[in-house]
Amino acid sequence: QFRAVHWRAHKLVLSAGEIDAKAKALIAFAVASYRTSDYWVEYFERYCRVAFDATDKELREAVLAGLHSAGINTVAHGMMLHARFTDMRAEDFHEHH
């Protein structure tokens, strides 16, 4: 029973919505990598490759983005930093060419 319910939720959460299914799979792979879950790393690596033809570069980029986010979260929390979110502008996050 639990397994069936979990599998339905798993499929629902990972299906396309506002975020496409490949992006969700790559996010799940990055989380599994960060949490060092051998089971889920192997599962999501295969899922990304088989279901979405994910490349080594895409998998690596997803993991690097996840690890970077986790790392800066840890630093910010440890330093008790407080961001000034009200002053954010889109141009602050994009390089100008």
Side-chain angles (χ1 to χ4, degrees):
Q1 179 84 10
F2 172 78
R3 192 173 189 180
V5 169
H6 175 73
W7 184 246
R8 281 195 306 274
H10 180 76
K11 290 190 324 186
L12 176 66
V13 169
L14 291 176
S15 65
E18 296 300 315
I19 299 173
D20 68 53
K22 183 176 185 177
K24 288 182 177 185
L26 289 167
I27 291 166
F29 176 69
V31 170
S33 297
Y34 171 70
R35 300 294 297 188
T36 61
S37 169
D38 293 341
Y39 177 89
W40 287 112
V41 166
E42 186 174 344
Y43 173 87
F44 281 115
E45 186 265 341
R46 296 304 314 150
Y47 178 62
C48 288
R49 289 185 189 279
V50 172
F52 304 107
D53 294 322
T55 65
D56 287 345
K57 287 182 179 183
E58 290 172 313
L59 292 165
R60 190 170 32 252
E61 187 174 335
V63 170
L64 289 173
L67 293 177
H68 172 73
S69 298
I72 61 173
N73 180 66
T74 301
V75 169
H77 177 73
M79 295 177 69
M80 294 190 273
L81 299 177
H82 298 281
R84 295 179 2 190
F85 298 115
T86 57
D87 295 339
M88 286 183 178
R89 300 169 305 163
E91 52 269 16
D92 294 334
F93 301 98
H94 304 287
E95 291 184 33
H96 300 286
H97 299 282

